[in-house]
Amino acid sequence: EDQVTQSPEALRLQEGESSSLNCSYTVSGLRGLFWYRQDPGKGPEFLFTLYSAGEEKEKERLKATLTKKESFLHITAPKPEDSATYLCAVQVGGGADGLTFGKGTHLIIQP
Amino acid sequence: KAGVTQTPRYLIKTRGQQVTLSCSPISGHRSVSWYQQTPGQGLQFLFEYFSETQRNKGNFPGRFSGRQFSNSRSEMNVSTLELGDSALYLCASSWTGEGSQPQHFGDGTRLSIL
């Protein structure tokens, strides 16, 4: 069975304090790994897609990396507006398969 | 460019009733997927539609059904509602659903069962 595990469940940081969120996965035939950000009362907002081990993507203060077993979302010098729940999801097999999501990391950035 | 639109945003129903939720995808997107989000289980895949055909289905009972229209708009129906159906129902769209195209989500319909 495909599994996606995110850690930590919750993380509280001071503004400017860099850290990393982890997403480990056990799947067969990974087609893509996705990172989303979800704010309270909103749907997930797409951030990145990673396709193969060694790949990296960056956007502002966020950088996502991928290995054969896990992905990291690195947050550099975060600001309070980066507070959100960050979700990791994988797509396996055929293109019509739904995404399998982890439970997310609830990130709070304190001013 | 307009995003994925879901209506209504909130619904309150009682056990045994049925409900229909609506989703309009991003213009040009032809694949629509539905997900259920709960605090305990997180986001779980319900089903995916493309060209009015259901191509894949998650592990949910037959009370959950959907359809897609020729303009790619989609509806989801839940019959004989149970307390455990209380959740945020999210719709996501992508161009064709093939490969690893990112899915773009709406803000969901919050369904509460009394």
Side-chain angles (χ1 to χ4, degrees):
Chain A
E1 183 181 330
D2 300 329
Q3 283 193 322
V4 179
T5 304
Q6 290 188 246
S7 62
E9 290 185 13
L11 182 62
R12 188 183 296 266
L13 299 172
Q14 291 296 123
E15 184 174 0
E17 181 184 0
S18 302
S19 188
S20 297
L21 313 182
N22 177 263
C23 170
S24 63
Y25 59 91
T26 306
V27 301
S28 55
L30 179 72
R31 297 291 295 273
L33 185 141
F34 303 83
W35 281 98
Y36 286 86
R37 166 194 172 126
Q38 186 172 25
D39 293 299
K42 298 285 190 179
E45 175 189 349
F46 170 72
L47 294 173
F48 304 109
T49 306
L50 301 168
Y51 296 98
S52 57
E55 189 175 3
E56 299 182 352
K57 294 270 180 77
E58 281 189 75
K59 179 181 179 181
E60 295 180 357
R61 294 177 293 281
L62 300 176
K63 178 180 176 181
T65 62
L66 181 65
T67 72
K68 289 187 178 179
K69 293 184 178 180
E70 58 191 350
S71 177
F72 291 94
L73 184 65
H74 306 279
I75 302 177
T76 302
K79 298 181 178 182
E81 54 261 42
D82 294 322
S83 297
T85 296
Y86 290 85
L87 296 163
C88 168
V90 298
Q91 186 169 41
V92 299
D97 288 351
L99 297 176
T100 299
F101 279 85
K103 296 285 181 68
T105 293
H106 182 50
L107 178 65
I108 298 174
I109 308 299
Q110 294 180 309
Chain B
K1 187 174 183 182
V4 177
T5 303
Q6 292 188 244
T7 57
R9 288 297 313 279
Y10 303 94
L11 267 178
I12 299 175
K13 294 286 186 179
T14 57
R15 283 181 298 172
Q17 288 186 311
Q18 74 168 16
V19 67
T20 299
L21 314 181
S22 180
C23 172
S24 293
I26 291 172
S27 178
H29 284 192
R30 297 170 62 193
S31 169
V32 175
S33 297
W34 289 88
Y35 293 83
Q36 181 194 66
Q37 186 174 30
T38 59
Q41 299 298 320
L43 271 138
Q44 293 184 290
F45 173 69
L46 281 157
F47 29 66
E48 188 265 359
Y49 285 87
F50 178 80
S51 290
E52 302 178 64
T53 300
Q54 184 183 96
R55 295 194 296 187
N56 206 348
K57 182 173 167 57
N59 189 24
F60 279 83
R63 300 185 296 106
F64 292 82
S65 63
R67 59 177 176 169
Q68 185 181 37
F69 302 94
S70 58
N71 61 358
S72 296
R73 190 177 70 85
S74 178
E75 287 182 349
M76 183 190 122
N77 184 273
V78 187
S79 63
T80 318
L81 287 165
E82 301 176 359
L83 292 177
D85 297 333
S86 294
L88 180 66
Y89 290 89
L90 292 160
C91 166
S93 74
S94 64
W95 292 106
T96 64
E98 297 295 334
S100 297
Q101 300 167 14
Q103 297 182 18
H104 298 274
F105 285 81
D107 286 336
T109 294
R110 172 74 62 184
L111 176 63
S112 299
I113 311 302
L114 302 179

